[in-house]
Amino acid sequence: MICGRNQSCGKQTILIYRQMEDISFRRAALSDVTEIKRLFTETLLTINRKDYTAEETADWASCGERPGLWERLIGGLHFIVAVNAGGCITGFAAIRCDGYLHSMFVHKDYQRQGIATQLLRIMEGYAVANGLKTITSEVSITARPFFERHGYDVLAEQQAQANKLRMTNYKMAKTLR
């Protein structure tokens, strides 16, 4: 097991991250930025192509190239990475201290192995540990069925701005127990 300390909201909550077979979970570090950026881009350009056009996924992927973006997210959010036995990042998730799930992506070669489910559990555990009652997120067409299976409700379909293009996604929420 790996321990992480939540300091971004001023609380001293200790979170224990479960370890899956050959996959462990830890806080993201600035040294992870290059690998996170590559995972984000490759996943969008392959997995999300089933629901978005090549032009849309390329535009969305270009958002990950904004200077300083990943460093700000790692420094300002509760940002967790999933790592395989070889030390490669296989997924990541990030949540704000107000319960907004900013992002969650699983490497294109590690889909449907339970990584997203475990990342979501960690994010929900963080929310509960910090006294939050609800998690909200803006979810892609591709991810919507996953979130619905995990108890999230669609609040609205919307057209979200990526870089240059607007694309369909869904505002979703889950009330925590």
Side-chain angles (χ1 to χ4, degrees):
M1 286 193 227
I2 297 172
C3 260
R5 184 177 291 273
N6 165 23
Q7 296 177 355
S8 60
C9 287
K11 296 184 180 184
Q12 295 296 313
T13 305
I14 301 295
L15 301 172
I16 305 297
Y17 305 134
R18 288 185 32 196
Q19 188 164 334
M20 298 171 60
E21 187 174 333
D22 296 328
I23 301 289
S24 59
F25 300 87
R26 63 169 173 77
R27 289 291 300 253
L30 293 177
S31 59
D32 297 324
V33 167
T34 300
E35 200 170 352
I36 289 168
K37 215 187 309 191
R38 186 177 326 116
L39 184 154
F40 174 78
T41 300
E42 290 176 1
T43 300
L44 285 172
L45 295 177
T46 55
I47 301 303
N48 293 83
R49 280 289 307 277
K50 71 179 189 170
D51 297 304
Y52 296 93
T53 67
E55 184 182 25
E56 288 172 326
T57 56
D59 185 64
W60 187 2
S62 73
C63 296
E65 296 299 323
R66 292 180 183 143
L69 169 71
W70 299 106
E71 293 83 356
R72 283 191 305 278
L73 294 176
I74 289 170
L77 304 178
H78 184 65
F79 199 122
I80 302 298
V81 293
V83 181
N84 70 12
C88 296
I89 295 175
T90 59
F92 66 85
I95 190 170
R96 292 189 322 218
C97 61
D98 66 357
Y100 176 74
L101 182 63
H102 179 275
S103 52
M104 188 167 75
F105 287 86
V106 173
H107 190 286
K108 65 183 181 64
D109 297 333
Y110 287 84
Q111 299 280 312
R112 301 197 175 277
Q113 295 183 26
I115 295 168
T117 297
Q118 189 60 32
L119 283 166
L120 190 59
R121 285 182 184 149
I122 291 168
M123 296 296 107
E124 289 176 355
Y126 167 87
V128 168
N130 284 283
L132 300 173
K133 305 276 188 240
T134 305
I135 292 181
T136 60
S137 192
E138 295 176 272
V139 175
S140 69
I141 296 168
T142 311
R144 178 181 169 178
F146 169 82
F147 280 91
E148 287 177 327
R149 282 193 304 276
H150 290 276
Y152 287 72
D153 297 312
V154 173
L155 303 178
E157 180 177 313
Q158 57 189 16
Q159 295 296 307
Q161 186 75 38
N163 196 4
K164 296 176 184 171
L165 302 176
R166 296 184 69 72
M167 295 179 282
T168 300
N169 75 5
Y170 303 93
K171 182 162 180 136
M172 297 187 79
K174 179 179 182 178
T175 302
L176 302 170
R177 290 185 225 148

